[in-house]
Amino acid sequence: MLSRKFLCSTALAVLLTGTANAEVTVLGWPGGPEETALRAVTEIYNAKADLADEDKVELLFTSRDGFFDKLQVDLAAGSTAFDANLIATYSIGRYAPFLEPITLSDEAGSVFGDTVLSTMQFDGAQYGVPTDLSLHFLYFRKDLIDALMADDAARTLYGDISEKYLGERLAPKNPEEWTWRDFAANALYFSQSVNPDSPTRYGTVIQMKNLLFNMMVFHSLPRSYGANWMDNDGNITVDSEAYRNTLELAKMLYDAGATPPDSTSYEYAEANAAYSAGQVAAMVQWNAAASDLVGAQPETVTQAPPTGPDGRFTHIHGLGLGLNAAAENKEGARAFLQWLSTEEAALAYARADGAPGLTPATAGKLAEERPDLVQVGDYASNYGFVMNGGTSENALSVYEAQAKEFTGYWAGTQSLDEAMSNISASMTELLK
């Protein structure tokens, strides 16, 4: 029989793991490697011989659509349908009034490091244990780059194309040395709409759908040009040369056919499918895609995103689990969350395809199995950023507003000036 917490819930669809007598309920992020990894470590935890039945864990999952809005309603209403729940860097400020700070294990600092732990902090308190760290990799086909670099005629054509579309003659480079303009030149060269002899149909794929997570992928580009949401005095600074120049760069690639013509309907799955099918030479995508993309195209190499005038940057945020202030089994939930912050749990989570942000010493224990996690820790420490205002109560709404306006510009339904005027007004209201 289900516990009374499940019976009183009207907002959540319940999927169970563990035993029917479990009393600790955890609301996780549905679908993808995050759900797979959470299920795996929960099974390990529930199998512990010294764990009482009332402290075993059951998992709840709902649809991703409207997840954060539904969660806020449940938390604000004091729902007891779950004891611990998903939180994210960009939503902590929104949910903190309905959560309780937690204490992590003594191992947490050496397992995750200060940068990763800070993605689960708000107003100086630790509100969650980090489970998945999201940032961006540049994925590229090394076989294609090597062939280009070795072909004098191809190098000449590459220069001609960059001069025509970018106004300067660029030479092919190793991706480790790319600026974003090099990225654009490479995308143009490897697009059959520009270069009919290209071995790939598209040079890149840009996720342009009106979706907040697509804005997070895009953000690494304008940030490298000096963009931010607001200055230290709280003034909205989105209408800047940094945003304008990079929005125009993305639209130029779209108009030139360097990204699929239906990119304005693309998100994570569609972009990955295009790359996996061998249609794309290089793209910026979440680190969570590494195993799938390298598996589909084994000549793929990953590295940090290209540089801009202000340096090399990658958007970073963490998913984690926090404690519901209305939880009916707080002690059981605290025990589970504390265990999740141990090395045992972090390594198990990683081996089950999760993406925890780990220190070099911890990630090194998985170097052969998960080399991508070694890069994740390195890039987070050296290039990670959160926009000023990116942990505010309305951060998600800002991303949603940007997605609406920027997609409108890319799709040609409004001008850049209109997009900038609209997003400035929206962000002024949301971040006031």
Side-chain angles (χ1 to χ4, degrees):
M1 179 177 294
L2 299 178
S3 69
R4 65 180 183 277
K5 289 179 286 187
F6 286 61
L7 295 175
C8 70
S9 174
T10 58
L12 298 170
V14 178
L15 296 176
L16 305 178
T17 67
T19 68
N21 295 321
E23 289 295 334
V24 178
T25 58
V26 176
L27 173 65
W29 184 234
E34 299 89 354
E35 178 177 338
T36 300
L38 184 57
R39 287 185 179 278
V41 295
T42 298
E43 184 176 346
I44 293 172
Y45 184 76
N46 284 344
K48 290 184 175 296
D50 59 347
L51 188 67
D53 284 345
E54 62 268 21
D55 290 328
K56 291 187 177 182
V57 173
E58 291 175 332
L59 300 178
L60 314 181
F61 295 102
T62 65
S63 169
R64 291 195 182 196
D65 293 338
F67 180 94
F68 292 101
D69 289 333
K70 294 173 186 175
L71 177 58
Q72 184 173 25
V73 170
D74 284 336
L75 288 171
S79 173
T80 58
F82 48 85
D83 299 298
N85 57 272
L86 179 86
I87 59 174
T89 301
Y90 45 76
S91 66
I92 295 179
R94 185 176 180 182
Y95 302 138
F98 316 113
L99 303 174
E100 287 190 8
I102 62 172
T103 300
L104 303 182
S105 74
D106 293 339
E107 302 173 23
S110 61
V111 171
F112 300 106
D114 292 342
T115 300
V116 173
L117 291 179
S118 69
T119 64
M120 294 286 107
Q121 295 170 359
F122 183 74
D123 281 349
Q126 191 77 37
Y127 275 91
V129 54
T131 54
D132 294 271
L133 191 69
S134 294
L135 47 71
H136 302 148
F137 284 175
L138 170 65
Y139 295 83
F140 64 91
R141 292 269 304 276
K142 187 176 186 300
D143 58 327
L144 301 180
I145 303 298
D146 288 346
L148 167 61
M149 299 280 285
D151 187 331
D152 289 341
R155 293 169 64 89
T156 298
L157 178 59
Y158 184 101
D160 293 343
I161 289 172
S162 64
E163 191 167 28
K164 176 181 178 180
Y165 285 88
L166 296 170
E168 60 177 320
R169 193 169 190 85
L170 298 174
K173 299 177 183 175
N174 291 318
E176 294 84 354
E177 303 172 13
W178 278 1
T179 66
W180 280 103
R181 291 179 71 77
D182 293 314
F183 172 87
N186 189 80
L188 293 162
Y189 173 82
F190 281 110
S191 298
Q192 291 176 358
S193 60
V194 176
N195 172 17
D197 295 326
S198 169
T200 55
R201 190 171 182 181
Y202 306 108
T204 191
V205 54
I206 303 175
Q207 299 168 62
M208 293 178 160
K209 183 178 180 179
N210 180 359
L211 183 72
L212 67 94
F213 297 108
N214 286 348
M215 287 300 100
M216 296 177 186
V217 178
F218 175 68
H219 267 168
S220 293
L221 171 52
R223 180 66 188 88
S224 72
Y225 277 70
N228 214 325
W229 286 3
M230 56 186 182
D231 61 23
N232 292 333
D233 295 324
N235 300 305
I236 302 302
T237 59
V238 66
D239 189 355
S240 62
E241 287 303 307
Y243 262 108
R244 285 176 173 266
N245 289 341
T246 53
L247 283 163
E248 289 176 331
L249 183 65
K251 183 166 175 57
M252 182 275 290
L253 293 175
Y254 176 70
D255 291 343
T259 184
D262 52 349
S263 291
T264 50
S265 66
Y266 272 31
E267 53 181 298
Y268 182 81
E270 291 80 5
N272 289 352
Y275 188 94
S276 296
Q279 298 185 42
V280 176
M283 74 172 182
V284 174
Q285 181 59 291
W286 296 105
N287 58 292
S291 60
D292 289 340
L293 298 186
V294 174
Q297 296 293 332
E299 62 282 342
T300 294
V301 175
T302 60
Q303 71 145 67
T307 62
D310 272 35
R312 191 188 303 272
F313 291 92
T314 173
H315 166 100
I316 180 176
H317 71 254
L319 295 181
L321 293 170
L323 179 65
N324 179 6
E328 291 188 333
N329 189 347
K330 289 184 181 179
E331 291 310 307
R334 287 183 187 276
F336 179 62
L337 296 177
Q338 191 170 75
W339 177 78
L340 278 180
S341 67
T342 65
E343 183 177 89
E344 175 194 11
L347 294 178
Y349 195 90
R351 290 188 173 109
D353 287 336
L358 305 173
T359 60
T362 306
K365 297 179 181 180
L366 298 164
E368 292 188 6
E369 303 165 76
R370 295 293 305 275
D372 57 306
L373 294 186
V374 177
Q375 289 180 303
V376 166
D378 177 19
Y379 299 166
S381 297
N382 292 299
Y383 313 125
F385 75 90
V386 176
M387 288 291 191
N388 189 9
T391 62
S392 66
E393 179 180 353
N394 290 321
L396 283 178
S397 297
V398 170
Y399 285 117
E400 290 170 344
Q402 289 183 350
K404 175 185 175 183
E405 304 304 336
F406 295 167
T407 294
Y409 165 63
W410 288 326
T413 61
Q414 64 179 347
S415 69
L416 182 58
D417 284 340
E418 289 171 328
M420 283 292 132
S421 176
N422 292 341
I423 192 57
S424 294
S426 295
M427 290 177 64
T428 297
E429 179 65 23
L430 290 167
L431 295 176
K432 63 182 178 180

